[in-house]
Amino acid sequence: MMALPFLDLPPLAGASGTVRLPGSKSISNRVLLLAGLAEGTTVVHDLLDSDDTRVMLDALRALGCGLVRDGATLQITGLSGRLPVHEAQLFLGNAGTAMRPLTAALAVLAATQGGRFELSGVARMHERPIGDLVEALRPLGCTIDDLGTPGYPPLRLRGEAGGRLATDRAIHVRGDVSSQFLTALLLALPLVAGEHDVVIAVDGELISKPYIQITLNLLARFGITVQREGWARFTIPAGSRYRTPGHIHVEGDASSASYFIALGAIAAHGGAPLRIEGVGLDSIQGDIRFVEAAQAMGAQVSGGPGWLAVHRGAWPLRAITLDCNHIPDAAMTLAVMALYADGTTRLDNIASWRVKETDRIAAMAAELRAVGATVTEGADFIEVTPPTAWRTAAIHTYDDHRMAMCLSLAACNPARVPVRILDPHCVAKTFPGYFDALFGVAHALPEDVPVITVDGPTASGKGTLAAELAQRLGYELLDSGALYRAAGLAALEDGVSPDDETAVARLAATLDLRFADGRTWLRGHDVTDALRAEQAGMLASRVSALPAVRTALHGLQLAFRRAPGLVADGRDMGTVVFPDAALKVFLTASAAERATRRHKQLISKGISSNIDSLRADLEARDLRDSSRVVAPLKPAEDAMRLDNSALTVEESVERVLAWWAERRPFAAASAAAKG
Ligand code: DC
């Protein structure tokens, strides 16, 4: 899908149903590295497919690991701890879970087996600290060159074959900036724990302990049992070797679950809970403890292995004060739940937010203020008081997936104002399908879902324009002509006369029509091409003149009005079906131009035709469509007319998007939003 510049969320009124979470980022990237270093082939199930895992996979491929996709699984044949490739330049995007462990692993491999590896990322990655890890590796005997600002990527790791590391004394690492440094050492040092125990000593209070627990848990799955004394000293026993577990399943992402737990707490008030699958109360991920925090705010949560069910309990939510050190990522979601609380919520001990994908304390403060909240931020805390007046804001996302996912929950606001998410594509870092998943379970009141209608005569280019608009806005698409065409085809199949109003209406009312992946299925068979044929158009023109048929298809058309929005094309979209549409376009082109376009279209399909008779057909259909008694083709009174005879598709799209921009309420707020 193309990267949308923004996605407008209508106010969300409720949530229900089931959402299935993608695999955990933290587990996925650890599993990939372990499998890549281990001996043997590991079959990975439910791996997350996202930006961060993609850079890790690219790196492993460049280092010589065997990767084979087999349906839903990935087979990785590891290096058995031996480097087949001794030089590589690895681009790791903004994936801390790739940068830190690969730095450690390649530093010790280069130092002992010889090699030269350069690791870099996007600009933000070069602002994310790695100095504490480098300082831990250098005394061990690793050669690490700073290629930019010392203490930050990019880095070069190099060494000669036969080098020895000083593993006979404890390796010291700071634990109070990012737990990823310790994770990196824990994942890398089994590579050099051949002759004696390797000891890692943590200096300072270790933050984000649950992530270390995940690391230890996965190391155990790959045959390495680390002994620990509290959270201060970790020993990798001599003779440790990575061995593949054969198969490994990646749990759903507990941090991703937090958005749906919050959604349930805020919006699942219709009786049935919101069900979340892929992660449950048995999760090994620390962020599962977000459940307790959400419960403290009032959420009703139940669950079991691999599933959770959430519904609204206390309402408004209860304001809390919480030390969030144990749930650094998911705590961001609490900051947004705080918008719906009965007082001021304070989240403490979140200094690590400042060194994540963006400075998350500053970003969160700015964007919560943009929707109307009162926010106080400190070096390591944030305080949020709910809005007294909600503002219609365009939310900056700072190339931070969690900012986008968190702030989408502002769409549940009681003031029923929409929320614009800028650069929504950033969710691809960990949850590419986030917005589809959100709209799968969160619903808006139909009257809150914006509709753009595109009506006009046949072959005016409505379909092309509507499809392009829907794509650019991330909206649903309704090609209402396809419904009439399908009704006509169904009549033909059943030997029903297209003029038999009762019989055709009966067929239309129970039309088994599905749209999926750009194809259209009628009664289980693919009618995509048959629907576009002239014969189907002629049949449609006849059956669509029958009032009972139009009535039968009315409800089906209304059902397309779903979050985040709808672009509907046809003849009566603006006049009859969606009279309250936010923007109505009446698209025309001269009959000569339309006949020429249709002619070209047919030629491109290898069908010969005659322009004059095409034009005569078009005019006959226009006449029938506009002179029929019910829902005749005519512009709505408030429609914007667009004659595209002399316009390219792109020009028409830009024209309509400009009209749309004028009607959306976001423009003013966006300038104030970036703090
Ligand atoms: O847009 P189209 O060419 O696919 O439409 C096929 C026929 O269906 C057209 O002749 C008129 C009819 N139609 C209608 O009556 N109302 C609509 N909303 C859409 C199509």
Side-chain angles (χ1 to χ4, degrees):
M1 203 177 111
M2 67 190 275
L4 307 176
F6 60 81
L7 179 64
D8 293 344
L9 313 184
L12 299 174
S16 60
T18 299
V19 60
R20 177 135 201 113
L21 297 171
S24 151
K25 173 188 70 162
S26 305
I27 296 177
S28 292
N29 266 357
R30 283 170 175 78
V31 163
L32 288 179
L33 185 68
L34 287 166
L37 295 172
E39 186 180 332
T41 297
T42 308
V43 182
V44 187
H45 301 257
D46 301 327
L47 185 72
L48 171 65
D49 179 12
S50 75
D51 292 349
D52 279 13
T53 51
R54 215 162 298 130
V55 293
M56 180 63 107
L57 284 169
D58 289 345
L60 293 180
R61 196 175 293 113
L63 293 171
C65 298
L67 303 176
V68 181
R69 254 200 199 287
D70 184 6
T73 65
L74 180 74
Q75 296 178 16
I76 306 182
T77 303
L79 303 178
S80 300
R82 304 292 315 166
L83 281 176
V85 171
H86 294 264
E87 277 202 39
Q89 298 204 333
L90 305 178
F91 174 78
L92 302 173
N94 198 7
T97 53
M99 179 62 80
R100 278 70 179 257
L102 279 169
T103 293
L106 292 174
V108 301
L109 288 173
T112 49
Q113 298 176 26
R116 191 183 169 89
F117 301 98
E118 288 183 15
L119 274 52
S120 65
V122 298
R124 173 64 189 168
M125 177 58 96
H126 297 172
E127 296 169 3
R128 296 177 67 184
I130 198 165
D132 291 328
L133 178 60
V134 171
E135 292 317 318
L137 290 164
R138 280 183 179 143
L140 187 63
C142 297
T143 307
I144 303 177
D145 305 323
D146 294 303
L147 301 179
T149 312
Y152 298 85
L155 299 173
R156 185 192 299 119
L157 321 166
R158 60 188 164 84
E160 303 297 330
R164 295 190 66 80
L165 294 175
T167 48
D168 48 344
R169 50 177 192 260
I171 295 145
H172 284 261
V173 66
R174 274 181 63 177
D176 52 357
V177 174
S178 166
S179 67
Q180 284 185 11
F181 303 147
L182 175 57
T183 279
L185 293 174
L186 286 167
L187 292 176
L189 293 175
L191 290 166
V192 291
E195 289 154 30
H196 36 77
D197 292 358
V198 176
V199 176
I200 306 170
V202 178
D203 298 334
E205 169 72 11
L206 179 66
I207 62 166
S208 315
K209 298 182 182 79
Y211 284 110
I212 300 302
Q213 198 75 68
I214 295 182
T215 304
L216 297 178
N217 200 308
L218 293 173
L219 278 165
R221 297 292 309 280
F222 280 84
I224 315 270
T225 313
V226 177
Q227 289 137 20
R228 71 177 170 92
E229 292 156 48
W231 294 99
R233 222 177 145 80
F234 297 81
T235 303
I236 301 165
S240 287
R241 272 181 67 187
Y242 294 120
R243 285 189 316 272
T244 175
H247 288 256
I248 191 160
H249 288 261
V250 176
E251 285 189 9
D253 195 297
S255 314
S256 299
S258 73
Y259 311 112
F260 293 95
I261 296 169
L263 180 69
I266 297 163
H269 51 77
L274 177 63
R275 189 177 159 94
I276 301 166
E277 290 181 354
V279 62
L281 296 175
D282 59 336
S283 172
I284 64 165
Q285 300 167 70
D287 268 353
I288 195 64
R289 292 193 56 202
F290 174 83
V291 167
E292 295 157 28
Q295 283 168 326
M297 293 191 81
Q300 298 277 325
V301 186
S302 56
W307 66 274
L308 299 168
V310 187
H311 61 93
R312 188 197 268 182
W315 192 255
L317 296 175
R318 288 190 289 266
I320 55 168
T321 295
L322 189 71
D323 180 324
C324 295
N325 192 260
H326 61 301
I327 47 170
D329 283 352
M332 291 176 75
T333 312
L334 297 174
V336 182
M337 288 176 79
L339 292 171
Y340 304 98
D342 57 3
T344 300
T345 290
R346 181 179 165 111
L347 308 177
D348 282 311
N349 207 354
I350 54 169
S352 68
W353 282 21
R354 296 214 183 262
V355 297
K356 296 291 175 120
E357 281 77 346
T358 184
D359 177 341
R360 285 177 168 170
I361 296 184
M364 187 59 85
E367 303 314 313
L368 292 177
R369 282 184 195 123
V371 298
T374 304
V375 184
T376 309
E377 58 168 300
D380 67 346
F381 74 89
I382 192 166
E383 261 179 19
V384 183
T385 308
T388 42
W390 284 82
R391 291 214 291 261
T392 307
I395 300 295
H396 291 270
T397 50
Y398 308 82
D399 201 18
D400 183 351
H401 54 134
R402 297 207 188 285
M403 285 298 293
M405 295 189 279
C406 277
L407 268 300
S408 70
L409 298 172
C412 300
N413 67 82
R416 285 169 67 184
V417 298
V419 175
R420 170 166 290 183
I421 302 290
L422 299 171
D423 301 319
H425 183 72
C426 65
V427 300
K429 189 171 202 288
T430 52
F431 198 160
Y434 174 72
F435 288 105
D436 289 338
L438 177 68
F439 299 132
V441 292
H443 21 95
L445 300 174
E447 61 267 35
D448 285 337
V449 176
V451 179
I452 300 177
T453 59
V454 183
D455 287 307
T458 198
S460 59
K462 302 182 302 301
T464 309
L465 175 64
E468 192 62 27
L469 289 170
Q471 193 166 41
R472 299 273 275 267
L473 296 169
Y475 282 3
E476 302 275 336
L477 176 66
L478 166 60
D479 167 6
S480 61
L483 306 186
Y484 291 99
R485 288 168 182 261
L489 281 187
L492 186 69
E493 276 180 17
D494 290 4
V496 166
S497 157
D499 303 313
D500 182 341
E501 181 163 1
T502 315
V504 181
R506 197 179 312 120
L507 285 176
T510 55
L511 208 56
D512 171 16
L513 192 64
R514 282 186 302 114
F515 300 90
D517 309 322
R519 314 291 303 172
T520 309
W521 305 80
L522 175 63
R523 299 165 164 176
H525 56 269
D526 187 341
V527 291
T528 317
D529 297 326
L531 277 188
R532 293 324 307 168
E534 291 302 297
Q535 184 197 27
M538 276 306 190
L539 281 169
S541 181
R542 286 169 70 184
V543 301
S544 65
L546 308 171
V549 174
R550 302 199 76 84
T551 308
L553 289 176
H554 195 82
L556 189 53
Q557 296 174 79
L558 293 182
F560 278 78
R561 189 172 193 170
R562 288 191 297 259
L566 174 66
V567 182
D569 86 74
R571 301 294 186 290
D572 60 343
M573 296 296 99
T575 48
V576 176
V577 183
F578 303 107
D580 64 336
L583 174 63
K584 300 177 185 176
V585 179
F586 193 80
L587 191 68
T588 53
S590 65
E593 177 62 28
R594 289 186 284 135
T596 310
R597 287 182 193 165
R598 179 60 50 95
H599 184 62
K600 282 192 192 142
Q601 206 179 34
L602 291 173
I603 289 177
S604 75
K605 288 189 200 154
I607 304 168
S608 62
S609 62
N610 170 297
I611 293 206
D612 292 334
S613 72
L614 279 174
R615 181 170 169 167
D617 279 355
L618 288 176
E619 289 179 326
R621 256 165 83 185
D622 287 354
L623 186 64
R624 180 163 35 218
D625 292 345
S626 51
S627 61
R628 68 184 177 217
V629 186
V630 281
L633 171 66
K634 61 163 197 247
E637 271 171 25
D638 50 348
M640 306 291 284
R641 290 160 194 258
L642 182 60
D643 183 328
N644 72 1
S645 303
L647 298 179
T648 64
V649 173
E650 185 55 28
E651 285 165 341
S652 303
V653 171
E654 291 302 331
R655 189 80 56 92
V656 177
L657 287 176
W659 289 335
W660 186 236
E662 283 167 17
R663 287 167 194 234
R664 301 308 285 161
F666 302 104
S670 69
K674 204 152 190 169

